[in-house]
mmCIF file of all heavy atoms in Angstrom:
data_model
loop_
_atom_site.group_PDB
_atom_site.id
_atom_site.type_symbol
_atom_site.label_atom_id
_atom_site.label_comp_id
_atom_site.label_asym_id
_atom_site.label_seq_id
_atom_site.Cartn_x
_atom_site.Cartn_y
_atom_site.Cartn_z
ATOM 1 N N ALA A 1 -167.745 35.420 1.249
ATOM 2 C CA ALA A 1 -166.590 36.255 1.596
ATOM 3 C C ALA A 1 -165.839 35.827 2.884
ATOM 4 O O ALA A 1 -164.688 35.753 2.999
ATOM 5 C CB ALA A 1 -166.961 37.812 1.769
ATOM 6 N N ASP A 2 -166.610 35.455 3.838
ATOM 7 C CA ASP A 2 -166.074 34.893 5.202
ATOM 8 C C ASP A 2 -165.346 33.668 4.847
ATOM 9 O O ASP A 2 -164.273 33.347 5.304
ATOM 10 C CB ASP A 2 -167.180 34.674 6.156
ATOM 11 C CG ASP A 2 -167.808 35.925 6.674
ATOM 12 O OD1 ASP A 2 -167.125 36.953 6.707
ATOM 13 O OD2 ASP A 2 -169.046 35.819 7.276
ATOM 14 N N PHE A 3 -165.968 32.728 4.069
ATOM 15 C CA PHE A 3 -165.274 31.389 3.792
ATOM 16 C C PHE A 3 -164.014 31.688 3.020
ATOM 17 O O PHE A 3 -162.971 31.109 3.400
ATOM 18 C CB PHE A 3 -166.171 30.398 3.045
ATOM 19 C CG PHE A 3 -165.605 29.289 2.615
ATOM 20 C CD1 PHE A 3 -165.437 28.174 3.502
ATOM 21 C CD2 PHE A 3 -165.175 28.973 1.369
ATOM 22 C CE1 PHE A 3 -164.833 27.001 3.174
ATOM 23 C CE2 PHE A 3 -164.453 27.811 0.973
ATOM 24 C CZ PHE A 3 -164.407 26.790 1.964
ATOM 25 N N THR A 4 -164.077 32.503 2.057
ATOM 26 C CA THR A 4 -162.873 32.847 1.200
ATOM 27 C C THR A 4 -161.822 33.379 2.112
ATOM 28 O O THR A 4 -160.634 32.923 2.010
ATOM 29 C CB THR A 4 -163.206 33.877 0.077
ATOM 30 O OG1 THR A 4 -164.345 33.287 -0.738
ATOM 31 C CG2 THR A 4 -162.068 34.321 -0.710
ATOM 32 N N SER A 5 -162.047 34.375 3.025
ATOM 33 C CA SER A 5 -161.157 34.968 3.802
ATOM 34 C C SER A 5 -160.457 33.829 4.727
ATOM 35 O O SER A 5 -159.282 33.931 4.959
ATOM 36 C CB SER A 5 -161.850 36.036 4.698
ATOM 37 O OG SER A 5 -160.869 36.602 5.602
ATOM 38 N N GLN A 6 -161.294 33.064 5.379
ATOM 39 C CA GLN A 6 -160.663 31.986 6.359
ATOM 40 C C GLN A 6 -159.882 31.123 5.456
ATOM 41 O O GLN A 6 -158.790 30.571 5.838
ATOM 42 C CB GLN A 6 -161.843 31.341 7.028
ATOM 43 C CG GLN A 6 -162.420 32.224 8.117
ATOM 44 C CD GLN A 6 -163.403 31.373 8.997
ATOM 45 O OE1 GLN A 6 -163.210 30.226 9.239
ATOM 46 N NE2 GLN A 6 -164.411 32.194 9.472
ATOM 47 N N PHE A 7 -160.426 30.562 4.312
ATOM 48 C CA PHE A 7 -159.681 29.593 3.565
ATOM 49 C C PHE A 7 -158.295 30.189 3.079
ATOM 50 O O PHE A 7 -157.195 29.636 3.057
ATOM 51 C CB PHE A 7 -160.555 29.221 2.310
ATOM 52 C CG PHE A 7 -159.840 28.018 1.534
ATOM 53 C CD1 PHE A 7 -160.026 26.725 1.790
ATOM 54 C CD2 PHE A 7 -159.163 28.437 0.199
ATOM 55 C CE1 PHE A 7 -159.407 25.777 1.082
ATOM 56 C CE2 PHE A 7 -158.651 27.354 -0.451
ATOM 57 C CZ PHE A 7 -158.801 26.112 -0.001
ATOM 58 N N GLU A 8 -158.292 31.418 2.582
ATOM 59 C CA GLU A 8 -157.198 32.115 2.165
ATOM 60 C C GLU A 8 -156.076 32.336 3.109
ATOM 61 O O GLU A 8 -154.913 32.038 2.965
ATOM 62 C CB GLU A 8 -157.580 33.441 1.639
ATOM 63 C CG GLU A 8 -156.628 34.456 1.089
ATOM 64 C CD GLU A 8 -157.262 35.786 0.607
ATOM 65 O OE1 GLU A 8 -157.943 36.463 1.430
ATOM 66 O OE2 GLU A 8 -157.088 36.018 -0.512
ATOM 67 N N GLU A 9 -156.535 32.769 4.347
ATOM 68 C CA GLU A 9 -155.471 33.148 5.375
ATOM 69 C C GLU A 9 -155.096 31.937 6.281
ATOM 70 O O GLU A 9 -153.979 31.891 6.697
ATOM 71 C CB GLU A 9 -156.170 34.307 6.139
ATOM 72 C CG GLU A 9 -156.370 35.621 5.401
ATOM 73 C CD GLU A 9 -157.009 36.709 6.187
ATOM 74 O OE1 GLU A 9 -157.018 36.654 7.364
ATOM 75 O OE2 GLU A 9 -157.376 37.629 5.404
ATOM 76 N N GLN A 10 -156.138 31.163 6.602
ATOM 77 C CA GLN A 10 -155.926 30.103 7.573
ATOM 78 C C GLN A 10 -155.402 28.754 6.936
ATOM 79 O O GLN A 10 -154.476 28.000 7.441
ATOM 80 C CB GLN A 10 -157.049 29.823 8.361
ATOM 81 C CG GLN A 10 -157.456 30.920 9.282
ATOM 82 C CD GLN A 10 -158.839 30.652 9.932
ATOM 83 O OE1 GLN A 10 -159.444 29.555 9.986
ATOM 84 N NE2 GLN A 10 -159.280 31.703 10.587
ATOM 85 N N ILE A 11 -155.912 28.460 5.778
ATOM 86 C CA ILE A 11 -155.490 27.224 5.117
ATOM 87 C C ILE A 11 -154.409 27.402 4.075
ATOM 88 O O ILE A 11 -153.338 26.673 4.247
ATOM 89 C CB ILE A 11 -156.786 26.608 4.553
ATOM 90 C CG1 ILE A 11 -157.691 26.211 5.706
ATOM 91 C CG2 ILE A 11 -156.395 25.322 3.672
ATOM 92 C CD1 ILE A 11 -158.986 25.738 5.387
ATOM 93 N N LEU A 12 -154.493 28.213 3.187
ATOM 94 C CA LEU A 12 -153.545 28.548 2.264
ATOM 95 C C LEU A 12 -152.425 29.436 2.654
ATOM 96 O O LEU A 12 -151.331 29.596 2.038
ATOM 97 C CB LEU A 12 -154.122 28.908 0.803
ATOM 98 C CG LEU A 12 -155.017 27.886 0.112
ATOM 99 C CD1 LEU A 12 -155.538 28.454 -1.142
ATOM 100 C CD2 LEU A 12 -154.387 26.603 -0.048
ATOM 101 N N MET A 13 -152.739 30.149 3.685
ATOM 102 C CA MET A 13 -151.748 31.184 4.217
ATOM 103 C C MET A 13 -151.312 32.170 3.180
ATOM 104 O O MET A 13 -150.187 32.493 3.141
ATOM 105 C CB MET A 13 -150.563 30.444 4.937
ATOM 106 C CG MET A 13 -151.023 29.702 6.089
ATOM 107 S SD MET A 13 -149.630 28.856 6.934
ATOM 108 C CE MET A 13 -150.122 27.012 6.696
ATOM 109 N N LEU A 14 -152.294 32.681 2.518
ATOM 110 C CA LEU A 14 -152.059 33.728 1.552
ATOM 111 C C LEU A 14 -152.346 35.118 2.162
ATOM 112 O O LEU A 14 -153.101 35.117 3.084
ATOM 113 C CB LEU A 14 -152.953 33.506 0.283
ATOM 114 C CG LEU A 14 -152.724 32.275 -0.541
ATOM 115 C CD1 LEU A 14 -153.784 32.138 -1.605
ATOM 116 C CD2 LEU A 14 -151.384 32.297 -1.154
ATOM 117 N N GLY A 15 -151.846 36.168 1.461
ATOM 118 C CA GLY A 15 -152.261 37.482 1.872
ATOM 119 C C GLY A 15 -153.677 37.761 1.522
ATOM 120 O O GLY A 15 -154.239 37.249 0.564
ATOM 121 N N LYS A 16 -154.308 38.643 2.274
ATOM 122 C CA LYS A 16 -155.780 39.031 1.922
ATOM 123 C C LYS A 16 -155.856 39.505 0.545
ATOM 124 O O LYS A 16 -155.031 40.416 0.082
ATOM 125 C CB LYS A 16 -156.224 40.119 2.968
ATOM 126 C CG LYS A 16 -157.669 40.384 2.885
ATOM 127 C CD LYS A 16 -158.023 41.053 4.200
ATOM 128 C CE LYS A 16 -159.590 41.275 4.221
ATOM 129 N NZ LYS A 16 -160.353 39.953 4.475
ATOM 130 N N GLY A 17 -156.874 39.045 -0.202
ATOM 131 C CA GLY A 17 -157.301 39.439 -1.542
ATOM 132 C C GLY A 17 -156.403 38.668 -2.663
ATOM 133 O O GLY A 17 -156.639 39.001 -3.776
ATOM 134 N N GLN A 18 -155.664 37.674 -2.310
ATOM 135 C CA GLN A 18 -154.906 36.960 -3.285
ATOM 136 C C GLN A 18 -155.786 35.773 -3.844
ATOM 137 O O GLN A 18 -155.402 35.237 -4.933
ATOM 138 C CB GLN A 18 -153.513 36.404 -2.721
ATOM 139 C CG GLN A 18 -152.693 37.505 -2.323
ATOM 140 C CD GLN A 18 -151.310 36.876 -1.899
ATOM 141 O OE1 GLN A 18 -151.299 35.818 -1.394
ATOM 142 N NE2 GLN A 18 -150.257 37.671 -2.200
ATOM 143 N N LEU A 19 -156.859 35.393 -3.222
ATOM 144 C CA LEU A 19 -157.530 34.297 -3.646
ATOM 145 C C LEU A 19 -158.780 34.709 -4.456
ATOM 146 O O LEU A 19 -159.561 35.633 -4.051
ATOM 147 C CB LEU A 19 -158.164 33.464 -2.382
ATOM 148 C CG LEU A 19 -158.737 32.204 -2.590
ATOM 149 C CD1 LEU A 19 -157.773 31.192 -3.229
ATOM 150 C CD2 LEU A 19 -159.148 31.680 -1.307
ATOM 151 N N ASN A 20 -159.001 33.911 -5.659
ATOM 152 C CA ASN A 20 -160.187 34.257 -6.501
ATOM 153 C C ASN A 20 -160.568 32.857 -6.941
ATOM 154 O O ASN A 20 -159.842 31.820 -6.788
ATOM 155 C CB ASN A 20 -159.763 35.133 -7.565
ATOM 156 C CG ASN A 20 -158.776 34.667 -8.568
ATOM 157 O OD1 ASN A 20 -158.803 33.539 -9.012
ATOM 158 N ND2 ASN A 20 -157.669 35.411 -8.604
ATOM 159 N N PRO A 21 -161.796 32.680 -7.607
ATOM 160 C CA PRO A 21 -162.262 31.476 -8.096
ATOM 161 C C PRO A 21 -161.411 30.623 -8.986
ATOM 162 O O PRO A 21 -161.422 29.457 -9.017
ATOM 163 C CB PRO A 21 -163.673 31.710 -8.576
ATOM 164 C CG PRO A 21 -164.080 32.967 -7.928
ATOM 165 C CD PRO A 21 -162.814 33.831 -7.673
ATOM 166 N N GLN A 22 -160.596 31.462 -9.813
ATOM 167 C CA GLN A 22 -159.736 30.854 -10.730
ATOM 168 C C GLN A 22 -158.298 30.265 -10.201
ATOM 169 O O GLN A 22 -157.470 29.666 -10.850
ATOM 170 C CB GLN A 22 -159.363 31.816 -11.962
ATOM 171 C CG GLN A 22 -160.555 32.265 -12.715
ATOM 172 C CD GLN A 22 -161.409 33.227 -12.015
ATOM 173 O OE1 GLN A 22 -160.884 33.984 -11.272
ATOM 174 N NE2 GLN A 22 -162.690 33.231 -12.269
ATOM 175 N N PHE A 23 -158.131 30.582 -8.916
ATOM 176 C CA PHE A 23 -156.886 30.122 -8.148
ATOM 177 C C PHE A 23 -156.804 28.698 -8.315
ATOM 178 O O PHE A 23 -157.656 27.925 -7.844
ATOM 179 C CB PHE A 23 -156.958 30.616 -6.678
ATOM 180 C CG PHE A 23 -155.606 30.308 -5.996
ATOM 181 C CD1 PHE A 23 -154.538 31.320 -6.044
ATOM 182 C CD2 PHE A 23 -155.498 29.203 -5.385
ATOM 183 C CE1 PHE A 23 -153.375 31.032 -5.347
ATOM 184 C CE2 PHE A 23 -154.255 28.850 -4.592
ATOM 185 C CZ PHE A 23 -153.290 29.847 -4.742
ATOM 186 N N VAL A 24 -155.560 28.147 -8.838
ATOM 187 C CA VAL A 24 -155.323 26.768 -8.891
ATOM 188 C C VAL A 24 -154.780 26.166 -7.672
ATOM 189 O O VAL A 24 -153.660 26.709 -7.219
ATOM 190 C CB VAL A 24 -154.385 26.429 -10.180
ATOM 191 C CG1 VAL A 24 -153.963 24.969 -10.160
ATOM 192 C CG2 VAL A 24 -155.020 27.027 -11.419
ATOM 193 N N LEU A 25 -155.463 25.331 -6.916
ATOM 194 C CA LEU A 25 -155.048 24.913 -5.627
ATOM 195 C C LEU A 25 -153.661 24.319 -5.653
ATOM 196 O O LEU A 25 -152.909 24.618 -4.779
ATOM 197 C CB LEU A 25 -156.098 23.931 -5.176
ATOM 198 C CG LEU A 25 -157.552 24.513 -5.035
ATOM 199 C CD1 LEU A 25 -158.487 23.418 -4.664
ATOM 200 C CD2 LEU A 25 -157.483 25.492 -3.792
ATOM 201 N N LYS A 26 -153.297 23.538 -6.709
ATOM 202 C CA LYS A 26 -151.974 22.856 -6.621
ATOM 203 C C LYS A 26 -150.854 23.895 -6.833
ATOM 204 O O LYS A 26 -149.714 23.526 -6.575
ATOM 205 C CB LYS A 26 -151.911 21.863 -7.755
ATOM 206 C CG LYS A 26 -151.890 22.345 -9.144
ATOM 207 C CD LYS A 26 -151.621 21.153 -10.089
ATOM 208 C CE LYS A 26 -151.421 21.810 -11.428
ATOM 209 N NZ LYS A 26 -151.148 20.795 -12.493
ATOM 210 N N ASP A 27 -151.208 25.112 -7.150
ATOM 211 C CA ASP A 27 -150.104 26.217 -7.199
ATOM 212 C C ASP A 27 -149.711 26.735 -5.897
ATOM 213 O O ASP A 27 -148.690 27.394 -5.901
ATOM 214 C CB ASP A 27 -150.616 27.367 -8.040
ATOM 215 C CG ASP A 27 -150.672 26.946 -9.561
ATOM 216 O OD1 ASP A 27 -150.232 25.945 -10.092
ATOM 217 O OD2 ASP A 27 -151.386 27.725 -10.441
ATOM 218 N N SER A 28 -150.477 26.340 -4.902
ATOM 219 C CA SER A 28 -150.072 26.831 -3.579
ATOM 220 C C SER A 28 -149.334 25.674 -3.042
ATOM 221 O O SER A 28 -149.721 24.471 -2.831
ATOM 222 C CB SER A 28 -151.362 27.011 -2.720
ATOM 223 O OG SER A 28 -150.978 27.277 -1.400
ATOM 224 N N ARG A 29 -148.103 25.957 -2.373
ATOM 225 C CA ARG A 29 -147.320 24.999 -1.670
ATOM 226 C C ARG A 29 -148.117 24.414 -0.372
ATOM 227 O O ARG A 29 -147.715 23.416 0.167
ATOM 228 C CB ARG A 29 -146.024 25.503 -1.385
ATOM 229 C CG ARG A 29 -146.088 26.597 -0.415
ATOM 230 C CD ARG A 29 -144.716 27.073 0.012
ATOM 231 N NE ARG A 29 -145.062 28.045 1.137
ATOM 232 C CZ ARG A 29 -144.356 28.850 1.619
ATOM 233 N NH1 ARG A 29 -143.142 29.038 1.369
ATOM 234 N NH2 ARG A 29 -144.794 29.623 2.622
ATOM 235 N N ASN A 30 -149.077 25.169 0.029
ATOM 236 C CA ASN A 30 -149.772 24.814 1.282
ATOM 237 C C ASN A 30 -151.039 23.973 1.043
ATOM 238 O O ASN A 30 -151.527 23.599 2.048
ATOM 239 C CB ASN A 30 -150.142 26.056 2.077
ATOM 240 C CG ASN A 30 -148.964 26.891 2.515
ATOM 241 O OD1 ASN A 30 -148.058 26.293 3.047
ATOM 242 N ND2 ASN A 30 -149.087 28.136 2.469
ATOM 243 N N TRP A 31 -151.445 23.564 -0.202
ATOM 244 C CA TRP A 31 -152.466 22.800 -0.501
ATOM 245 C C TRP A 31 -151.824 21.403 -0.558
ATOM 246 O O TRP A 31 -151.335 20.847 -1.440
ATOM 247 C CB TRP A 31 -153.027 23.173 -1.860
ATOM 248 C CG TRP A 31 -154.268 22.269 -2.195
ATOM 249 C CD1 TRP A 31 -154.490 21.374 -3.136
ATOM 250 C CD2 TRP A 31 -155.544 22.323 -1.427
ATOM 251 N NE1 TRP A 31 -155.788 20.801 -3.180
ATOM 252 C CE2 TRP A 31 -156.421 21.326 -2.077
ATOM 253 C CE3 TRP A 31 -155.985 23.038 -0.299
ATOM 254 C CZ2 TRP A 31 -157.670 21.193 -1.668
ATOM 255 C CZ3 TRP A 31 -157.381 22.802 0.101
ATOM 256 C CH2 TRP A 31 -158.041 21.906 -0.557
ATOM 257 N N ASP A 32 -152.038 20.775 0.661
ATOM 258 C CA ASP A 32 -151.598 19.393 0.835
ATOM 259 C C ASP A 32 -152.594 18.597 1.667
ATOM 260 O O ASP A 32 -153.651 19.162 1.855
ATOM 261 C CB ASP A 32 -150.264 19.301 1.666
ATOM 262 C CG ASP A 32 -150.168 20.051 2.807
ATOM 263 O OD1 ASP A 32 -151.323 20.454 3.447
ATOM 264 O OD2 ASP A 32 -149.124 20.528 3.346
ATOM 265 N N SER A 33 -152.202 17.368 2.149
ATOM 266 C CA SER A 33 -153.244 16.483 2.803
ATOM 267 C C SER A 33 -153.692 17.235 4.120
ATOM 268 O O SER A 33 -154.835 17.202 4.530
ATOM 269 C CB SER A 33 -152.632 15.178 3.127
ATOM 270 O OG SER A 33 -151.460 15.285 3.890
ATOM 271 N N MET A 34 -152.842 17.901 4.774
ATOM 272 C CA MET A 34 -153.144 18.607 6.037
ATOM 273 C C MET A 34 -154.189 19.776 5.718
ATOM 274 O O MET A 34 -155.216 20.043 6.415
ATOM 275 C CB MET A 34 -151.997 19.202 6.798
ATOM 276 C CG MET A 34 -152.336 19.729 8.083
ATOM 277 S SD MET A 34 -153.129 18.466 9.072
ATOM 278 C CE MET A 34 -152.449 18.799 10.658
ATOM 279 N N ALA A 35 -154.028 20.575 4.569
ATOM 280 C CA ALA A 35 -154.949 21.553 4.212
ATOM 281 C C ALA A 35 -156.281 20.933 3.869
ATOM 282 O O ALA A 35 -157.323 21.548 4.130
ATOM 283 C CB ALA A 35 -154.321 22.301 3.067
ATOM 284 N N ILE A 36 -156.303 19.768 3.286
ATOM 285 C CA ILE A 36 -157.583 19.063 2.978
ATOM 286 C C ILE A 36 -158.366 18.883 4.234
ATOM 287 O O ILE A 36 -159.537 19.088 4.397
ATOM 288 C CB ILE A 36 -157.261 17.926 2.117
ATOM 289 C CG1 ILE A 36 -156.926 18.411 0.771
ATOM 290 C CG2 ILE A 36 -158.746 17.004 2.035
ATOM 291 C CD1 ILE A 36 -156.560 17.282 -0.224
ATOM 292 N N ILE A 37 -157.571 18.282 5.260
ATOM 293 C CA ILE A 37 -158.250 17.959 6.552
ATOM 294 C C ILE A 37 -158.720 19.294 7.218
ATOM 295 O O ILE A 37 -159.854 19.277 7.737
ATOM 296 C CB ILE A 37 -157.260 17.277 7.502
ATOM 297 C CG1 ILE A 37 -156.967 15.866 6.951
ATOM 298 C CG2 ILE A 37 -157.853 17.170 8.891
ATOM 299 C CD1 ILE A 37 -155.779 15.149 7.506
ATOM 300 N N GLU A 38 -158.025 20.478 7.134
ATOM 301 C CA GLU A 38 -158.391 21.678 7.743
ATOM 302 C C GLU A 38 -159.492 22.244 7.016
ATOM 303 O O GLU A 38 -160.495 22.823 7.659
ATOM 304 C CB GLU A 38 -157.138 22.534 7.691
ATOM 305 C CG GLU A 38 -156.115 22.263 8.672
ATOM 306 C CD GLU A 38 -154.889 23.080 8.481
ATOM 307 O OE1 GLU A 38 -154.729 23.855 7.434
ATOM 308 O OE2 GLU A 38 -153.871 22.962 9.326
ATOM 309 N N THR A 39 -159.677 22.066 5.650
ATOM 310 C CA THR A 39 -160.719 22.500 4.821
ATOM 311 C C THR A 39 -162.028 21.700 5.344
ATOM 312 O O THR A 39 -163.039 22.340 5.447
ATOM 313 C CB THR A 39 -160.496 22.320 3.398
ATOM 314 O OG1 THR A 39 -159.330 23.087 3.104
ATOM 315 C CG2 THR A 39 -161.698 22.929 2.527
ATOM 316 N N ILE A 40 -161.950 20.451 5.406
ATOM 317 C CA ILE A 40 -163.060 19.696 5.859
ATOM 318 C C ILE A 40 -163.582 20.097 7.178
ATOM 319 O O ILE A 40 -164.709 20.311 7.381
ATOM 320 C CB ILE A 40 -162.618 18.115 5.814
ATOM 321 C CG1 ILE A 40 -162.462 17.612 4.489
ATOM 322 C CG2 ILE A 40 -163.748 17.270 6.628
ATOM 323 C CD1 ILE A 40 -161.842 16.193 4.404
ATOM 324 N N SER A 41 -162.705 20.388 8.129
ATOM 325 C CA SER A 41 -162.990 20.960 9.432
ATOM 326 C C SER A 41 -163.726 22.233 9.293
ATOM 327 O O SER A 41 -164.769 22.565 9.981
ATOM 328 C CB SER A 41 -161.843 20.882 10.380
ATOM 329 O OG SER A 41 -162.188 21.497 11.503
ATOM 330 N N LEU A 42 -163.156 23.187 8.511
ATOM 331 C CA LEU A 42 -163.657 24.423 8.374
ATOM 332 C C LEU A 42 -165.063 24.342 7.907
ATOM 333 O O LEU A 42 -166.072 25.051 8.261
ATOM 334 C CB LEU A 42 -162.826 25.264 7.435
ATOM 335 C CG LEU A 42 -163.343 26.660 7.000
ATOM 336 C CD1 LEU A 42 -163.258 27.620 8.082
ATOM 337 C CD2 LEU A 42 -162.432 27.245 5.751
ATOM 338 N N ILE A 43 -165.312 23.544 6.795
ATOM 339 C CA ILE A 43 -166.687 23.375 6.309
ATOM 340 C C ILE A 43 -167.653 22.876 7.327
ATOM 341 O O ILE A 43 -168.699 23.254 7.478
ATOM 342 C CB ILE A 43 -166.548 22.537 4.944
ATOM 343 C CG1 ILE A 43 -165.941 23.262 3.958
ATOM 344 C CG2 ILE A 43 -167.948 22.049 4.606
ATOM 345 C CD1 ILE A 43 -165.383 22.510 2.631
ATOM 346 N N ASP A 44 -167.182 21.654 7.969
ATOM 347 C CA ASP A 44 -168.036 21.060 8.957
ATOM 348 C C ASP A 44 -168.337 22.003 10.148
ATOM 349 O O ASP A 44 -169.560 22.061 10.490
ATOM 350 C CB ASP A 44 -167.312 19.735 9.450
ATOM 351 C CG ASP A 44 -168.148 18.898 10.415
ATOM 352 O OD1 ASP A 44 -169.372 18.721 10.138
ATOM 353 O OD2 ASP A 44 -167.620 18.441 11.537
ATOM 354 N N ASP A 45 -167.442 22.738 10.622
ATOM 355 C CA ASP A 45 -167.675 23.481 11.784
ATOM 356 C C ASP A 45 -168.432 24.829 11.452
ATOM 357 O O ASP A 45 -169.282 25.172 12.258
ATOM 358 C CB ASP A 45 -166.325 24.051 12.444
ATOM 359 C CG ASP A 45 -165.460 23.062 13.029
ATOM 360 O OD1 ASP A 45 -166.006 21.933 13.325
ATOM 361 O OD2 ASP A 45 -164.284 23.367 13.353
ATOM 362 N N ASN A 46 -168.410 25.315 10.247
ATOM 363 C CA ASN A 46 -169.100 26.520 9.921
ATOM 364 C C ASN A 46 -170.315 26.398 9.124
ATOM 365 O O ASN A 46 -171.253 27.251 9.007
ATOM 366 C CB ASN A 46 -168.071 27.559 9.200
ATOM 367 C CG ASN A 46 -167.030 27.995 10.248
ATOM 368 O OD1 ASN A 46 -167.303 28.849 11.036
ATOM 369 N ND2 ASN A 46 -165.922 27.513 10.062
#
């Protein structure tokens, strides 16, 4: 839940509760090379 919330709000910049396991990443205009770097950092840090 914590990872989902941070990924949803900080990386994809979606509203709370919009992200689910079936969410197609390429459907988000925010899923780009910077988001990948931020995701790597989120995973590494936490």
Side-chain angles (χ1 to χ4, degrees):
D2 290 337
F3 179 78
T4 299
S5 178
Q6 287 188 30
F7 186 83
E8 175 179 60
E9 295 173 16
Q10 296 174 7
I11 295 175
L12 295 183
M13 294 179 243
L14 298 171
K16 191 162 180 72
Q18 292 184 333
L19 189 61
N20 61 57
Q22 295 79 29
F23 184 89
V24 178
L25 296 167
K26 70 176 184 170
D27 287 349
S28 171
R29 63 176 191 194
N30 294 321
W31 185 246
D32 57 14
S33 58
M34 189 55 140
I36 290 172
I37 292 168
E38 291 170 350
T39 302
I40 291 169
S41 178
L42 174 68
I43 292 167
D44 186 43
D45 291 348
N46 291 286

